[in-house]
Amino acid sequence: MKKDTSFLFKIIENKTILWSHKTNEYSVLEDLTAEIINKINNGISSREIAIELSEKFSIPEEKTVNFILKIENTFFKSKAKNEIVRHRKDIKRPKSFEYIKFYEINNVVFKVSYFSEKELAYVHPKFDHLTTDDTSYHQNEFEIFIDYNHIFLFVDSVFIGSWNSSEIHYFQGKFSMEFIQKIHQKEEHDWLGVFHASAISDEKKSILLLGNSGNGKSTSLALLQANGFTCLADDFVPIDAEKQEVYSFPAAISIKKNSLETLLPIYPELETSAEYNFKRLNKIVRYLKPNNTNFFAHLPCKDLVFIKYQKDAMLNCEKISKIDAFQQLIPDSWLSPKKENAQKFLDWFSTLNCYQLTYSKNEEMIISVEKIFNNDL
């Protein structure tokens, strides 16, 4: 009897990437493991598979049975859920808010109400450059307030969710998702995923810059936008399901304190811009306005660049394994749980070129990115 589960399989290089519908998780597997999962999923008994493996590899049947049981426990057994109640639907929304901001993205106006300075600090700095004085009309209204040690989000009077103090980054991600949906008139299921990356364009296509925090993604993005490229997004990069294109997101570029020496000669406005100390994240940042003039823009992407600034390093720009790139990309990404979108994501990823770019000289980094845009590497 066929198991009540669903998987997608995608062979990339010499590995199989498996997606589980139950958990919306991706795993990189050896071919044998993927083959066993596929057989179990199609109703072949563990006993039959164990006998076949025992004969094929001359291994005692007891060992092959134990191996298959481990696979079943990992990929087929339902995981116990320890769900935390994240909201109180009977919560009373504040009657007044201390801060009310209006943001204009092209011709779309948002009214965002913040209960206090604390809520304001979680969102406003990234969008301050979008503030408009024209408060006569707005299409969308967001409300943000803290109560019962949770931060609550309402959009157009609809409750979206609440998050405790250790989940602020989830709240910020959800706020951004609601924001991008309103800008582009798309629902959550219309998105393939959102990536923790920076996106740069040459107005024809885009490239994603990725890497761990502190590797220089945002600084590289700022340098590139000062040298003829357009900033599509920083930190929050959405890709749609229909065409698998990178969509613009209007947040400012986050500039850390240790990058100021490099960027001040290019962006003197950073000298007097507000500084924010995010103690929870252990970083001090200022925000730089992106040079994008069309926040409705969306462009194809065929290149991922894992970028790293390293003092005194020799320039190194080379293609890397797609599997290595996949394993770096997935942990910090939100990916659609919809099966159709998961298949599109796997198909899209299989077409990408993946690079590692390590540099110490800004000019060499810029030239390398130009070569990637021009398909010269």
Side-chain angles (χ1 to χ4, degrees), residues 87-120:
H87 57 79
R88 297 168 182 254
K89 290 191 176 180
D90 59 344
I91 194 72
K92 293 182 179 178
R93 291 154 62 191
K95 293 182 178 179
S96 64
F97 291 80
E98 187 174 353
Y99 296 94
I100 296 177
K101 300 290 183 181
F102 290 83
Y103 306 111
E104 184 172 7
I105 297 94
N106 288 15
N107 59 347
V108 181
V109 178
F110 293 79
K111 177 184 178 182
V112 183
S113 301
Y114 304 95
F115 184 66
S116 73
E117 190 172 2
K118 188 173 184 179
E119 290 90 338
L120 183 81

Side-chain angles (χ1 to χ4, degrees), residues 244-256:
Q244 298 89 61
E245 292 186 338
V246 171
Y247 273 63
S248 175
F249 187 67
I253 303 171
S254 173
I255 304 299
K256 292 180 181 174

Side-chain angles (χ1 to χ4, degrees), residues 233-283:
D234 185 42
D235 277 344
F236 184 93
V237 179
I239 295 182
D240 80 312
E242 183 181 0
K243 294 184 178 179
Q244 298 89 61
E245 292 186 338
V246 171
Y247 273 63
S248 175
F249 187 67
I253 303 171
S254 173
I255 304 299
K256 292 180 181 174
K257 197 169 185 177
N258 59 6
S259 298
L260 288 178
E261 184 179 349
T262 297
L263 296 177
L264 275 173
I266 306 170
Y267 299 104
E269 64 268 29
L270 284 171
E271 181 73 53
T272 55
S273 61
E275 190 169 79
Y276 299 89
N277 187 356
F278 296 107
K279 294 180 180 178
R280 181 177 57 86
L281 300 174
N282 194 29
K283 65 179 182 180

Side-chain angles (χ1 to χ4, degrees), residues 50 74 76 89 122 159 175 203 209 215 222 252 267 273 279 319 329 336 338 344 357:
T74 301
F76 290 90
K89 290 191 176 180
Y122 287 135
F159 173 76
F175 175 92
E203 306 297 338
L209 306 179
N215 277 7
Y267 299 104
S273 61
K279 294 180 180 178
K319 279 192 174 183
L329 177 69
S336 172
K338 189 177 176 182
K344 288 180 179 179
L357 171 55

